[in-house]
Amino acid sequence: MSDRGIGGDNGDNSSNGHNSNASVTVIGLGPMGQAMAGAFLDRGHPVTVWNRTPSRADALVARGAGLAGSAEEAVRAAGVVVLSLTDYDAMYAVLGGVDPAVFAGRVLVNLSSDTPERARAGAAWAAERGAGHLTGGVLTPPSGIGSSEATTFYSGPPDVFEAHRPVLEVLTAAEYKGEDPGLAALLYQLNMVMFWTSLTSYWQAVALAGAHGLKAADILPLALDATNLTQFLEFYTPRVDAGDHSGDVDRLAMGLASAEHVLHTMRDAGVDGTLPAAVAEVFRRGVASGHAGDSCSSLVEVLKVPAGSRG
Ligand code: NDP
């Protein structure tokens, strides 16, 4: 065990993030947790780590991190406990067996992604044990950890955030969004719904291109242009907020015809059409709901209604 890790702050309950040498515990050493523990080590923080699969700690231990023998030992080692787990279920799996008294006065910085509801329940779970809880939504891959150009959204008690801002800023720029513990999780999920759907549309395009003998590199300029939606988002945003879906520049009926052309192009090429079929189905519902002559932005109103409850 490294002398920079466990015991580096005598395992005290200090949660003073202003201390530039504050001890930090990182629980969960997937690609993200490893990058985070590495960033803390780079900045001279004594770091204790714990992971279900201990071998993932090897490189960090070689760099000076302390490897805790149990999750409880890891929590005891620092006032700030960063969680980088797959989801909140993993948090309960890891921390559920820890003596509840150990959490008192510590802060759980939960950078595991999950739903807003589960983030709120996680914050309540921490509060029952006397711990502070900050929900984080990390908007960068592991390569961005340690850079102030990357951002993490936080929500939770403002005083807890401010007290620990210096430690949080070791990871990325830290943007405080509000007190509701679910808020950072919501903003993260808003980011992800656009990210995953856009990226999957790129995989779809590469698959179609490949079926026609084109490589990903052949369509890179086209892909960069097609996925840059800045002009569209800036145009639609004020109109959507004003409830203006007038079909002056685009009409949903045109959108449906186009979405079906995309779907048929996939099918002609023998490429899986699950994603374009889903897109065409959303457009079809919009037209069926009476929006054929409205802008494609009227899909916002259609999507607000749960699919099962339409007349
Ligand atoms: P991984 O899923 O690769 O790693 C998650 C960690 O959770 C591992 O240490 C794993 O342990 C642990 N874990 C999962 N389930 C359990 C369990 N039941 N009990 C104990 N430990 C468990 O995730 P990442 O490192 O990639 O990401 C961590 C979090 O950050 C996720 O919530 C992710 O959504 C979020 N995130 C990730 C980004 C990325 O690009 N990777 C970007 C932005 C956010 P073990 O090693 O033993 O399997």
Side-chain angles (χ1 to χ4, degrees):
M1 181 187 300
S2 159
D3 60 3
R4 293 180 65 199
I6 294 172
D9 69 346
N10 299 321
D12 71 16
N13 258 10
S14 166
S15 57
N16 180 2
H18 288 293
N19 176 358
S20 61
N21 291 316
S23 295
V24 181
T25 285
V26 179
I27 293 181
L29 298 176
M32 240 342 162
Q34 290 189 31
M36 289 171 177
F40 286 124
L41 286 171
D42 287 345
R43 293 281 287 272
H45 289 265
V47 177
T48 297
V49 295
W50 185 87
N51 194 55
R52 176 178 61 180
T53 308
S55 58
R56 296 226 159 96
D58 290 351
L60 291 161
V61 170
R63 290 178 56 194
L67 177 61
S70 67
E72 182 161 322
E73 197 180 327
V75 174
R76 284 184 190 279
V80 177
V81 179
V82 172
L83 303 173
S84 179
L85 297 160
T86 305
D87 51 27
Y88 277 61
D89 273 349
M91 173 180 85
Y92 299 124
V94 171
L95 299 183
V98 173
D99 175 1
V102 167
F103 292 98
R106 301 183 194 277
V107 172
L108 302 182
V109 179
N110 202 334
L111 303 177
S112 319
S113 73
D114 216 318
T115 67
E117 278 310 310
R118 300 188 117 226
R120 289 183 191 113
W125 185 93
E128 282 163 19
R129 287 158 178 75
H133 182 279
L134 290 172
T135 309
V138 183
L139 303 183
T140 180
S143 57
I145 297 298
S147 163
S148 58
E149 284 173 24
T151 301
T152 302
F153 293 150
Y154 288 96
S155 65
D159 53 328
V160 175
F161 173 78
E162 282 308 329
H164 296 88
R165 185 193 276 275
V167 169
L168 304 177
E169 285 179 341
V170 169
L171 301 177
T172 63
E175 265 186 44
Y176 180 72
K177 293 298 185 181
E179 193 146 7
D180 170 9
L183 188 55
L186 172 64
L187 294 169
Y188 178 82
Q189 297 307 339
L190 285 168
N191 177 66
M192 295 316 288
V193 68
M194 292 182 270
F195 175 77
W196 283 128
T197 313
S198 304
L199 198 59
T200 306
S201 77
Y202 170 68
W203 308 135
Q204 179 78 70
V206 171
L208 175 63
H212 289 274
L214 297 173
K215 292 183 140 333
D218 296 324
I219 66 162
L220 180 59
L222 175 69
L224 291 173
D225 193 43
T227 54
N228 178 0
L229 297 175
T230 305
Q231 202 184 336
F232 291 93
L233 303 190
E234 287 177 352
F235 172 75
Y236 283 121
T237 291
R239 289 168 60 118
V240 167
D241 280 346
D244 175 6
H245 301 299
S246 47
D248 51 348
V249 294
D250 68 313
R251 291 188 315 116
L252 193 59
M254 172 281 293
L256 174 57
S258 175
E260 285 183 333
H261 297 157
V262 173
L263 179 57
H264 296 152
T265 303
M266 296 303 155
R267 289 188 175 153
D268 289 349
V271 170
D272 186 297
T274 305
L275 181 66
V279 173
E281 175 58 17
V282 172
F283 278 72
R284 221 171 278 127
R285 286 183 191 162
V287 168
S289 306
H291 293 288
D294 294 338
S295 165
C296 294
S297 68
S298 60
L299 290 178
V300 169
E301 308 306 330
V302 175
L303 290 168
K304 280 179 188 166
V305 182
S309 64
R310 286 196 186 93

